[in-house]
Amino acid sequence: MGNATIALIVYMLVIIFWAVLIKRNMAEGMIVGFIVVALFGGSDAFQLMVTGIHSAFTNEVLFASLAFILMSYLIKESNLLNGVLEIFNALLGRLPGGPAFVNIGLSATMGMLSGSNSANTATSGTFTAQWMVRTGWRKDLAATLIAGNGGLGAGFPPSASMFIMLGFAQVSNLISEGELYLGLFVSGIYQVIYRIFLVIYLIKKQGIRRIEHSEKISLKKVIGLNWKSLCVFLGAIIPILVTVGPIGVFLKKLGMSDAVSSISLLIWIPILMITIILLLGYKTLIKNIHSKEVLVKTLFPQYKNIGGVLLFAFAASTIFSELGLSDELILLFSSLNFGKPIMVLLVGVLVVLVAGPLSSTATLTSIGLISFTALLSVGVSPLPAVVSILVFASTEGASPPASGSIFIASGLTETNPEKTFYPLIKYFVVPIAIIGWFIAMGYLPLAV
């Protein structure tokens, strides 16, 4: 076992010790882990720290992750998200068990805007929890669905988990941010489709019937009143069309291949979305963020943790690369002689188990790189390897007993959290892990 591999093991133990036993801030754990890894460079430790920090600060993924946090904050404070809810309500709310479908739609939407499982559960659950209970859903089952659907926060791009994986030099050298963005989006669609069929099954099993509304507003009228909310998604649609869609193909035929290739989705999607939000919701934003004090109290705490985690995770990744970790791990896993199906299964089980007590970001910071290398060693292509690992880690929101999403959903539905543990494992943890296995095996394509 080489020096870099030992450094990785110690790094994993430090992070798990810091998060589970000491229960301190994860950003602090990243700093400690970063220093410990650098010490394995011996006399070059200080130079490795400098190289790692410089690499992290010049990594566009760090900028993108912080920009998406700002975008998520602004869309909430602008109340544009309420318009999306009204549209989902008009479209799906009158179906039998309709609020559960609305919760899926809202969770997927929030997943494309924020990336946090717990925040996703809190936001979507606030709108739909009591609505589900009033329309016939058992409280424990409503909490199960809300917590399970919260996993779409990490299941769709952007997410902190995605940024963690892109921050590893060993990953970013093999796939682009655009490829991962689109691949993770496709995997998110698979998860949404599964959740829709799950809700249909539970509706029939529970005998939930349609609830008639006294006041019916047409979908056309609702869209007419809330169309501005949908414009936010142009910030994602336009860069995708220009880079990989038909417009991009047309521009390349005109000899603009270099210009198109230089467009980074992770840079331009948040920039355009923030611009659109500011244009459409500036009056509400001025009202809700009426002073510097409000901005500091509401926005800055979101940067305190995730910024530190990402910065020092990326810096540590660079040090691992300098120590030659990839070559050591490839040799190690090649000697294990596991078949591809078994190795994918073992990686999936490892990620799911670690994601139980840890967050998805902490999980991938500690074992993301070793999981990626393990999958590559048995012939999994880089993109399905990363996406499958992210799918495995997205079970964090549904993994009892430590998931914050479980307690948020249980509080919103006023039910006992323990009643959701087994249903969450049966309906979400195992099936979503199976989806990740199918993606890694190539049975679920990621082409768009």
Side-chain angles (χ1 to χ4, degrees), residues 204-337:
K204 293 182 178 180
K205 182 179 179 181
Q206 298 296 317
I208 296 174
R209 298 183 179 181
R210 173 177 173 175
I211 303 296
E212 294 294 336
H213 293 252
S214 57
E215 181 182 358
K216 294 185 178 181
I217 303 177
S218 68
L219 178 61
K220 181 179 179 180
K221 184 175 180 180
V222 171
I223 293 177
L225 294 172
N226 299 283
W227 62 270
K228 290 183 179 180
S229 299
L230 298 178
C231 291
V232 173
F233 294 100
L234 290 175
I237 294 171
I238 292 173
I240 290 174
L241 288 178
V242 171
T243 53
V244 297
I247 296 177
V249 174
F250 176 73
L251 292 175
K252 289 178 180 179
K253 289 181 179 179
L254 294 180
M256 301 174 66
S257 297
D258 291 340
V260 172
S261 300
S262 67
I263 298 174
S264 169
L265 292 181
L266 290 185
I267 297 295
W268 283 104
I269 287 178
I271 288 177
L272 288 179
M273 281 189 163
I274 289 171
T275 302
I276 293 171
I277 292 168
L278 291 174
L279 290 174
L280 297 179
Y282 72 95
K283 291 183 179 178
T284 306
L285 289 171
I286 292 173
K287 180 181 177 181
N288 291 342
I289 312 173
H290 51 78
S291 67
K292 295 179 181 177
E293 290 76 13
V294 172
L295 183 65
V296 170
K297 290 180 179 179
T298 55
L299 175 60
F300 285 16
Q302 300 182 45
Y303 280 110
K304 180 179 66 175
N305 292 329
I306 193 64
V309 169
L310 293 175
L311 173 63
F312 288 99
F314 294 170
S317 169
T318 300
I319 296 177
F320 280 128
S321 181
E322 293 291 325
L323 293 175
L325 178 63
S326 293
D327 293 336
E328 289 185 10
L329 290 179
I330 289 174
L331 288 174
L332 175 63
F333 287 117
S334 297
S335 66
L336 296 178
N337 294 321

Side-chain angles (χ1 to χ4, degrees), residues 398-411:
S399 296
S403 169
S405 294
I406 295 174
F407 296 95
I408 292 171
S410 298

